[in-house]
Amino acid sequence: MPSTRPVGGPRPSRSTSRRSPWRLVALAAVLVALVPSGATAEDDPDLRQTVRGDDPVVTDVKVLESGHVDLGPTYVDGTWRFLVHDDTAKADPSKQSTWRLPEKTVFAVPDAVRLPAPDDPTYTFLGAKPGSTVWALPQTQAAGAPWVGWNTQEPRVMETIDRGMTLRLEGVQGPGRLVTYLQSGSFEEPEVLWTSAKDARQDFFVDVNTHTHANWVFTEPGVYLVRVSAIADLVDGGTATDTQVLRFAVGDGTSPQEALSATWRGSTQTPGSTEGDSAEVRLGSACLSSLMCRPLRRALFLRVFLLLGRHFGFGHFLVLAALEDPFHVLHVIFVEMPLEVREVVFLFLVDMVPVLVLEALELRQPATFGHIGRS
């Protein structure tokens, strides 16, 4: 979804004798710090990378059969473009990554990544009968298959965009269903980012300087064309957008040449409103998706958020002010706030203990379909 702009104005001084209670909803920031999210680039060395500003744009045809590949924005002759950042050449230390044109690039999805669809109601969103075959490019790197993710790390992009970009699924043309989702671990619910089953455009927001990989699951072999827009508010007040068609040849029996020659004729879905389709909620550079997109934490977080809101009538923009000084927030909540508010916060923290224990145990479990990484 489009990035949320923070409310302007100076931050109130600590010396103010009477502080506005709603400002202390900084509790949200404290909770973000208390509750662990998915793996970061610091945890996963495979996700640590630096995108060079001089990586060239090449125009040759390429079938990507394995290796690290990111979708992402760059500038070509001063124009915002959404291209394929091909790192596969870096297997040779003497070579450099390149940007490729989506219309001349095919992602080959081999039969080697075939899996039986899980017999688990959690995965009904895949649209496949339990035990039936799906083709899954995994969130973690697998030998013999392209590792497809996205990044917002090109230096000129990081200088010009206002906090991040929106990736929008405009439509999917193909013989089966495509689902793109994140899985943080065995105890976490999947986060569905895109699914061709939805009759609407689907957005998710990507922070600046982010590097993430996801699961890409296809329910039938054949050629899939995936129409995607990269949209960003710029620091100069403008907007940048580019729409491209990604090409996937799914299954060993599908010719990459067929994918290259395929023409976009329209989606199996009819793009419509983006309302309600956003996969994550982000405020500034602090991502609340780890709270808002996971059921146990979401229920606990919303309970406190609504109870405090009943007292003070705060808006979600005010959480941004909290990010500057969480320790001061804790002092005010537990010293200056009314007893009833302190009790709400205390009960919330007590409720969070079993959730934190479950997530600590999760770190020792293998992920069902991979894990999320952001730098």
Side-chain angles (χ1 to χ4, degrees):
M1 69 179 183
S3 57
T4 304
R5 296 184 179 277
V7 176
R11 180 170 181 254
S13 169
R14 289 194 189 184
S15 60
T16 303
S17 59
R18 180 171 179 171
R19 297 180 176 88
S20 300
W22 50 258
R23 180 177 171 276
L24 305 177
V25 183
L27 168 64
V30 177
L31 299 180
V32 170
L34 287 174
V35 181
S37 59
T40 65
E42 287 74 15
D43 302 319
D44 188 346
D46 289 334
L47 292 169
R48 298 173 190 160
Q49 69 174 14
T50 300
V51 177
R52 292 172 49 168
D54 61 348
D55 286 342
V57 177
V58 296
T59 59
D60 60 311
V61 171
K62 180 71 172 180
V63 178
L64 296 170
E65 299 177 323
S66 64
H68 179 261
V69 183
D70 286 334
L71 310 172
T74 186
Y75 285 94
V76 180
D77 297 328
T79 301
W80 172 272
R81 296 293 306 276
F82 181 58
L83 302 181
V84 178
H85 192 245
D86 179 7
D87 279 334
T88 58
K90 290 177 69 176
D92 181 345
S94 66
K95 295 187 177 180
Q96 187 174 351
S97 299
T98 57
W99 291 97
R100 296 190 174 277
L101 305 180
E103 65 268 25
K104 294 188 176 182
T105 305
V106 176
F107 299 97
V109 184
D111 285 345
V113 298
R114 288 181 299 179
L115 293 170
D119 187 7
D120 183 340
T122 302
Y123 294 93
T124 56
F125 64 83
L126 294 178
K129 293 181 180 179
S132 64
T133 299
V134 297
W135 284 254
L137 292 178
Q139 191 168 320
T140 51
Q141 189 165 17
W147 189 28
V148 184
W150 50 86
N151 78 66
T152 51
Q153 296 178 310
E154 200 273 348
R156 289 162 296 179
V157 168
M158 292 196 290
E159 290 173 1
T160 57
I161 63 175
D162 184 9
R163 296 194 311 277
M165 72 169 178
T166 295
L167 282 181
R168 171 175 295 170
L169 178 66
E170 303 280 2
V172 177
Q173 177 182 308
R177 182 179 296 189
L178 163 66
V179 180
T180 305
Y181 74 97
L182 300 170
Q183 182 91 39
S184 292
S186 301
F187 288 104
E188 294 289 359
E189 295 289 326
E191 292 182 36
V192 178
L193 303 178
W194 292 335
T195 172
S196 60
K198 280 193 176 181
D199 194 27
R201 292 190 180 101
Q202 296 156 64
D203 293 354
F204 64 91
F205 189 75
V206 184
D207 286 320
V208 68
N209 194 23
T210 290
H211 179 210
T212 302
H213 283 258
N215 302 288
W216 301 72
V217 179
F218 305 84
T219 60
E220 299 290 341
V223 171
Y224 289 75
L225 301 184
V226 183
R227 197 163 186 258
V228 178
S229 294
I231 307 161
D233 293 333
L234 304 178
V235 293
D236 65 5
T239 301
T241 182
D242 187 31
T243 301
Q244 298 289 339
V245 174
L246 309 176
R247 299 167 184 272
F248 293 84
V250 178
D252 290 349
T254 303
S255 166
Q257 184 58 46
E258 183 184 353
L260 279 170
S261 60
T263 302
W264 175 259
R265 302 184 185 280
S267 177
T268 53
Q269 60 179 327
T270 303
S273 169
T274 61
E275 183 177 358
D277 291 322
S278 181
E280 299 188 28
V281 178
R282 295 181 186 272
L283 301 177
S285 61
C287 178
L288 295 183
S289 63
S290 60
L291 289 167
M292 300 301 289
C293 296
R294 292 167 185 155
L296 284 173
R297 285 181 274 176
R298 178 173 54 205
L300 296 171
F301 180 80
L302 287 178
R303 188 175 76 180
V304 171
F305 204 80
L306 293 175
L307 285 174
L308 292 177
R310 192 177 303 162
H311 282 279
F312 309 121
F314 53 81
H316 67 276
F317 288 127
L318 304 178
V319 178
L320 292 173
L323 301 178
E324 299 178 4
D325 197 347
F327 293 103
H328 178 60
V329 168
L330 281 174
H331 169 79
V332 176
I333 287 176
F334 288 106
V335 176
E336 300 182 20
M337 296 293 276
L339 177 61
E340 58 192 20
V341 176
R342 281 182 273 168
E343 289 177 344
V344 168
V345 175
F346 177 78
L347 289 174
F348 173 83
L349 295 176
V350 170
D351 284 342
M352 283 301 300
V353 169
V355 178
L356 295 175
V357 170
L358 281 176
E359 294 206 339
L361 291 173
E362 173 193 338
L363 297 177
R364 303 186 181 187
Q365 300 293 331
T368 306
F369 274 91
H371 61 280
I372 178 173
R374 293 186 175 90
S375 62

